[in-house]
Amino acid sequence: MEFKTAGVLFCLVFVAVRVSSSGLEVNLTRTWKQDIGWEINCTWELPPRDYLQSVRLYLNRQQFMIFRPEIDGLERSLMIRRLEDGVVTNCGISSVDRRRGSCVITSELYQPQNNSFTLQCEVSGERPTFIMEKKTIVVDNFVPPSDAVLTRVRSLNDVSDRVTLNCSASGIPSPNLTWTIGSQKMPHEFKGTAWNVTSKLWDVWSIVSYTPRSDLTAVCTPEATYKGEPVNGHSAQYNSAAIEKGALTSIITVLAVLYLCRLR
Ligand SMILES: *[C@@H]1O[C@H](CO)[C@@H](O)[C@H](O)[C@H]1NC(C)=O
Ligand SMILES: *[C@@H]1O[C@H](CO)[C@@H](O)[C@H](O)[C@H]1NC(C)=O
Ligand SMILES: *[C@@H]1O[C@H](CO)[C@@H](O)[C@H](O)[C@H]1NC(C)=O
Ligand SMILES: *[C@@H]1O[C@H](CO)[C@@H](O)[C@H](O)[C@H]1NC(C)=O
Ligand SMILES: *[C@@H]1O[C@H](CO)[C@@H](O)[C@H](O)[C@H]1NC(C)=O
Ligand SMILES: *[C@@H]1O[C@H](CO)[C@@H](O)[C@H](O)[C@H]1NC(C)=O
């Protein structure tokens, strides 16, 4: 019974969307571009025998760009410099099928992104109907944590029977790095965070040292939360036994090579 009701509701919603869309399709997507920042892509397709009248773009609900093929021709570009980023916009319609086109908005970050922003894309067809479709996307200041990278630190003040590990990761905002050694949670000894001008992400690192045992695995996990849900990067692990086994394999290989050389 409940299932049937849900089915009817679904059909109603589906029909409502079909009717309101009036054949004009607008997609608005965002992607994080490594070493650049955000790229927002608004694409549209008008119904047959309609043409593009205008595309208006809004940043935080303020119009910053209008593209009208009648005035601008097949494409229009715009560059805006803000304190935290440079916003480059390229709009164009396909020369093959003029009902299709896209606006690509790239925000290159000069400074850490502190706030989310809202982007809207409003596409209008030609007279007499002027069909219109407006899509909104919120670009959160969130990039999921990268996978952890573990390195063993060799320093002079390393006490002989201890290992010191450095775990690093990146993201927006800077991820928390958590450590477990065996089944125990471990607090870090030092940590550091810096904004990376190249990647536009926060780099974070964290140090622990402990006395290794072959049955103890050290695990470092980059953690963050997005909309109340945990979003973690892949953990990295260190186990002294794995290294010893590796070393043993190398020794055996070297011995085997030496033995083979002697045979010749
Ligand atoms: C924007 O989306 C369109 C349609 O999916 C695609 O053809 C185009 O390559 C995209 N542009 C960029 C810069 O991603
Ligand atoms: C919008 O996205 C849908 C699903 O990805 C795709 O099938 C459609 O071709 C896209 N339309 C435009 C105009 O980009
Ligand atoms: C973002 O925050 C950092 C540190 O809190 C600050 O130095 C920077 O100026 C802020 N950027 C903007 C655009 O407000
Ligand atoms: C840990 O690694 C990070 C990233 O490679 C590096 O920037 C940092 O200086 C290292 N910290 C120490 C104490 O070695
Ligand atoms: C900044 O990020 C780039 C990758 O985009 C990386 O190659 C570089 O080592 C990072 N810089 C620092 C200081 O960690
Ligand atoms: C890191 O942990 C602190 C304290 O639990 C929390 O306030 C903060 O939001 C966490 N950072 C991320 C990126 O989740």
Side-chain angles (χ1 to χ4, degrees):
M1 188 61 202
E2 268 184 13
F3 183 75
K4 218 170 164 186
T5 319
V8 169
L9 271 181
F10 175 77
C11 288
L12 286 179
V13 170
F14 190 64
V15 168
V17 170
R18 283 282 298 263
V19 170
S20 75
S21 77
S22 64
L24 167 57
E25 189 173 70
V26 179
N27 288 348
L28 191 56
T29 58
R30 67 182 166 93
T31 25
W32 175 259
K33 290 277 166 176
Q34 184 69 50
D35 296 352
I36 297 174
W38 291 106
E39 186 181 275
I40 296 115
N41 194 350
C42 175
T43 57
W44 60 86
E45 182 170 352
L46 287 146
R49 287 179 299 280
D50 201 345
Y51 290 97
L52 181 70
Q53 198 262 335
S54 67
V55 180
R56 288 162 204 271
L57 297 172
Y58 305 82
L59 189 57
N60 294 329
R61 306 194 186 273
Q62 281 212 308
Q63 184 180 312
F64 69 97
M65 165 93 165
I66 179 162
F67 171 50
R68 279 164 300 190
E70 202 176 49
I71 296 162
D72 302 316
L74 286 182
E75 50 190 45
R76 178 168 181 225
S77 301
L78 181 74
M79 161 93 194
I80 303 168
R81 256 191 97 107
R82 299 192 298 170
L83 185 63
E84 66 274 27
D85 64 358
V87 181
V88 176
T89 308
N90 289 301
C91 292
I93 52 174
S94 159
S95 52
V96 183
D97 179 357
R98 297 197 168 207
R99 296 179 302 127
R100 296 178 141 274
S102 69
C103 285
V104 178
I105 302 117
T106 309
S107 151
E108 177 163 8
L109 291 166
Y110 304 139
Q111 277 185 26
Q113 184 184 354
N114 295 345
N115 300 304
S116 303
F117 58 90
T118 302
L119 219 125
Q120 291 167 299
C121 181
E122 183 183 282
V123 180
S124 307
E126 265 297 358
R127 54 184 79 80
T129 42
F130 296 108
I131 51 171
M132 198 255 272
E133 187 76 30
K134 187 173 186 174
K135 286 277 164 78
T136 302
I137 200 165
V138 175
V139 182
D140 290 311
N141 54 334
F142 181 81
V143 175
S146 67
D147 298 341
V149 175
L150 262 190
T151 51
R152 189 171 165 185
V153 182
R154 293 178 193 278
S155 65
L156 289 175
N157 51 19
D158 240 8
V159 191
S160 57
D161 64 337
R162 287 173 81 77
V163 289
T164 302
L165 301 178
N166 182 356
C167 176
S168 59
S170 51
I172 300 177
S174 76
N176 286 330
L177 299 176
T178 60
W179 290 95
T180 56
I181 313 276
S183 55
Q184 295 278 318
K185 275 207 174 290
M186 275 277 278
H188 58 253
E189 282 154 44
F190 309 99
K191 65 168 185 170
T193 298
W195 192 62
N196 183 322
V197 192
T198 309
S199 70
K200 327 287 182 193
L201 301 172
W202 289 98
D203 286 339
V204 57
W205 55 268
S206 166
I207 303 282
V208 300
S209 53
Y210 68 106
T211 308
R213 283 204 325 255
S214 58
D215 62 331
L216 281 186
T217 299
V219 180
C220 167
T221 309
E223 296 185 348
T225 49
Y226 183 57
K227 294 181 174 163
E229 296 291 325
V231 181
N232 298 348
H234 281 293
S235 304
Q237 300 194 351
Y238 175 87
N239 186 301
S240 59
I243 305 294
E244 278 155 21
K245 216 191 278 167
L248 201 60
T249 316
S250 325
I251 291 169
I252 291 169
T253 313
V254 169
L255 287 179
V257 168
L258 286 178
Y259 180 72
L260 286 176
C261 289
R262 255 198 60 192
L263 280 185
R264 288 167 142 243

